[in-house]
Amino acid sequence: MALRDLRLAWRRRIEALLPLVFFLVAASLFPLGVGPEAQTLQQIGGGVVWVCALLSAMLSLGALYTSDHADGTLEQMVLSSDSLVLMAAGKALAHWVLTGLPLILAAPLLGLFFGLSMPAVGALLMGLLLGTPVLSLLGGVGAALTLGLRSAGVLVLLLVLPLCIPVLIFGTGAVSAVDAGLAPSGHLSILAALLLVSALGAPVATAAALRISLG
């Protein structure tokens, strides 16, 4: 399922790159709004990168199941003998590869752009590596619950954003801890726990939501 979604995204490469472009442009605008003072940029850099990463990941959630639902493929997936839970996990994996992984690769550049130290950039990368899969997993639940509804994109944001606040808090906290001379291990451990809980529960919840939406 993940490979299928990646092949489909390769045919729409420009559309697949939109979250990354939004991430880079949105983060680059903050210095223009708050001023070029190095200390201020360093203080807000971790939070800015995380907020932009969260919003970028949300951009493509509305279309996660929409195209498969429109052409009848999703109904065939539900009726097939294959595990719907594994299918949901595969689609979340593909979403992370297309959105989360490019953000992780671009984050060091933005971290240095905001004047973060190398240890802070390392904490930022580790936080994104643990946190962005959670965004994709929780986003899959929201996309399945709003499948076929009007203004589904807005509803996904309203459902998923509150659930992603802990990821944002602890991801930003890891960077702030490094800047304060503390170890970021506590924040990263909580992100790892959130990832574990999401990986175990989100695909099951997504499969149940798909059955409800198509029922």
Side-chain angles (χ1 to χ4, degrees):
M1 179 59 64
L3 291 175
R4 167 189 174 272
D5 282 3
L6 291 176
R7 286 195 296 266
L8 291 175
W10 178 253
R11 300 175 185 176
R12 304 187 299 269
R13 292 184 289 274
I14 302 300
E15 182 179 345
L17 287 174
L18 288 179
L20 177 60
V21 174
F22 174 84
F23 175 65
L24 294 174
V25 172
S28 300
L29 290 177
F30 273 86
L32 300 177
V34 301
E37 186 178 353
Q39 184 177 1
T40 301
L41 294 178
Q42 188 175 2
Q43 289 176 348
I44 68 171
V48 168
V49 173
W50 261 104
V51 169
C52 293
L54 174 60
L55 296 178
S56 299
M58 298 296 105
L59 279 179
S60 56
L61 286 179
L64 191 58
Y65 292 101
T66 303
S67 58
D68 289 335
H69 181 245
D71 61 14
T73 304
L74 189 58
E75 285 81 356
Q76 297 300 319
M77 293 178 185
V78 174
L79 295 174
S80 70
S81 59
D82 296 327
S83 172
L84 190 57
V85 174
L86 292 180
M87 291 181 182
K91 291 189 78 67
L93 175 60
H95 181 268
W96 177 78
V97 171
L98 292 171
T99 58
L101 187 57
L103 302 187
I104 294 172
L105 297 177
L109 177 62
L110 290 178
L112 296 176
F113 179 71
F114 281 96
L116 298 180
S117 63
M118 291 307 297
V121 171
L124 177 64
L125 284 178
M126 284 301 301
L128 289 172
L129 185 62
L130 294 171
T132 49
V134 179
L135 305 182
S136 296
L137 289 164
L138 295 179
V141 180
L145 286 172
T146 58
L147 187 64
L149 300 179
R150 292 183 178 180
S151 304
V154 177
L155 292 175
V156 168
L157 292 177
L158 295 177
L159 287 174
V160 176
L161 280 178
L163 299 177
C164 296
I165 289 177
V167 178
L168 179 65
I169 292 174
F170 292 109
T172 306
V175 181
S176 300
V178 173
D179 288 336
L182 304 174
S185 55
H187 299 276
L188 297 178
S189 297
I190 295 177
L191 285 177
L194 291 174
L195 175 57
L196 180 60
V197 172
S198 300
L200 293 175
V204 178
T206 302
L210 287 174
R211 292 190 178 96
I212 294 172
S213 298
L214 298 175

